[in-house]
Amino acid sequence: MKLQPTIYLSIILITTFLTQTTVLFGQNPIKISYERDENKGSYVFYCENSDVCSYIVEIRFDQLVNLRASRSLPFKGTVQRGRTKLFELNPVAQNQSTSLNYSYSYRKGCLRPKVDWDLLYLLPVAKGNKTKVSELSYLGERFGNEKKSKNWYALSFGMSVGDTVYAARKGIVVEVIDHFAQDGDNIIFARDRNYVQIEHEDCTYGQYELFRKNGIFVEKGDFINPGDPLGIIGGKNYQTGDQLRFSVFYADEYPIEKDGNAVLKKNYWTYVPLKFHVKGGTTRLLNGKEYESEHVEEIIIQEMSKKERKRWMKE
């Protein structure tokens, strides 16, 4: 599974005489800038997120001379789309020079997301269709030299040639890849796969994989409701035939060692064990069992605001 890596950027700034806003690396979705207040001698840091999804931003200072931050450092926080004020640096002693040296990194996700563990998902197949479910092992560990993510949990839904994939949960499309064509027969694992990734309201990400080349209907930035069509399934070259591979995960971290008094942390993805609405009730899907899809209004509108519900009812 292709996931957003952590991006590291660094800059050395000697800021004693700079007065203009400094913007870093304009080609990146995350830009860090600051504004200098000449009267106070302070620096106000901002983040500009030009992407449609959330990011975790971390700023570290290797050098900080005669400056004190308005919040604890290193800074780490979640930034949504648009411009966000992060913190201020104020001089400790007036009429003395200041300087700083910092670097920053960012990755997709939110700090400490409040995951809705009990939320119900729709089966991502057409209403009335039956699908056989399989729990997926992490083949990237075997074939792709990739380390298995913590609490790995992903499902495969058996489908037929030309079937449409439907959204299992409300969210915004944050990534679309649909230009890969699968070559060969009886494929077990392929690193390059067509997929749609959707960010949910609790900052988890739903990933739908194995679409047909150029078979995806949605675009980055589209708002999606449960039951909305996403694209045409692919995967006919795989051993198990046309199928959808689906998982939900969120950004997390864990301590790996101590550096003096500081605890170093490693980033990873935690996977969510899902509960689905199927014809006949709600359940955690069992490996090898067949289920019938039912797109009921109660599940479709469960995360909608009153305004969104009214709009959906009219449509």
Side-chain angles (χ1 to χ4, degrees), residues 40 48 67 78 126 158 167 195 252 267 285:
K40 295 170 54 179
E48 183 74 34
L67 290 167
T78 302
Y195 65 89
D252 209 342
N267 299 328
L285 305 184

Side-chain angles (χ1 to χ4, degrees), residues 284-298:
R284 294 198 188 278
L285 305 184
L286 300 178
N287 188 42
K289 189 172 180 180
E290 188 175 74
Y291 298 90
E292 184 174 341
S293 175
E294 191 176 49
H295 292 187
V296 296
E297 179 180 305
E298 178 186 356

Side-chain angles (χ1 to χ4, degrees), residues 9-181:
L9 302 170
S10 63
I11 192 76
I12 297 175
L13 300 176
I14 305 302
T15 59
T16 307
F17 304 107
L18 294 180
T19 58
Q20 74 277 17
T21 298
T22 302
V23 179
L24 312 181
F25 301 96
Q27 72 273 24
N28 296 297
I30 296 297
K31 304 174 187 176
I32 301 298
S33 65
Y34 69 85
E35 294 178 355
R36 177 79 187 278
D37 186 324
E38 287 293 337
N39 294 325
K40 295 170 54 179
S42 62
Y43 305 84
V44 183
F45 275 73
Y46 295 89
C47 178
E48 183 74 34
N49 177 4
S50 60
D51 210 337
V52 297
C53 60
S54 308
Y55 282 91
I56 299 170
V57 174
E58 184 170 2
I59 304 176
R60 291 184 173 273
F61 289 84
D62 300 320
Q63 181 185 21
L64 201 61
V65 176
N66 192 35
L67 290 167
R68 181 186 295 117
S70 59
R71 56 172 295 173
S72 60
L73 298 177
F75 170 86
K76 183 180 283 189
T78 302
V79 292
Q80 309 296 336
R81 187 175 188 178
R83 193 171 191 241
T84 303
K85 180 181 176 180
L86 303 179
F87 59 89
E88 296 183 19
L89 296 177
N90 296 293
V92 177
Q94 296 291 339
N95 303 319
Q96 293 187 19
S97 64
T98 59
S99 65
L100 56 94
N101 174 345
Y102 72 92
S103 62
Y104 70 94
S105 62
Y106 59 88
R107 68 177 181 128
K108 190 180 291 183
C110 301
L111 277 179
R112 297 175 291 278
K114 296 181 179 179
V115 178
D116 190 343
W117 299 96
D118 295 320
L119 186 132
L120 294 175
Y121 291 74
L122 293 181
L123 290 178
V125 301
K127 57 185 177 181
N129 280 13
K130 294 182 178 180
T131 180
K132 185 177 180 180
V133 177
S134 300
E135 288 190 22
L136 294 171
S137 58
Y138 192 78
L139 295 179
E141 193 172 32
R142 177 180 173 188
F143 297 101
N145 196 29
E146 300 173 0
K147 187 175 180 181
K148 184 177 180 179
S149 298
K150 188 176 181 181
N151 300 326
W152 166 258
Y153 181 81
L155 298 171
S156 171
F157 295 88
M159 302 181 77
S160 300
V161 176
D163 278 356
T164 297
V165 176
Y166 293 85
R169 183 178 175 184
K170 175 176 175 283
I172 181 172
V173 177
V174 296
E175 197 168 351
V176 173
I177 298 293
D178 72 345
H179 61 272
F180 290 117

Side-chain angles (χ1 to χ4, degrees), residues 243-303:
Q243 60 186 284
L244 170 71
R245 296 183 174 182
F246 179 63
S247 59
V248 175
F249 45 87
Y250 62 93
D252 209 342
E253 60 185 17
Y254 65 93
I256 54 175
E257 62 180 287
K258 289 187 176 181
D259 181 13
N261 294 323
V263 177
L264 302 180
K265 302 210 173 170
K266 182 176 178 62
N267 299 328
Y268 68 98
W269 298 98
T270 289
Y271 285 74
V272 180
L274 307 174
K275 291 197 292 188
F276 288 83
H277 174 87
V278 300
K279 187 172 183 180
T282 62
T283 184
R284 294 198 188 278
L285 305 184
L286 300 178
N287 188 42
K289 189 172 180 180
E290 188 175 74
Y291 298 90
E292 184 174 341
S293 175
E294 191 176 49
H295 292 187
V296 296
E297 179 180 305
E298 178 186 356
I299 306 302
I300 294 174
I301 67 174
Q302 65 183 329
E303 291 188 285

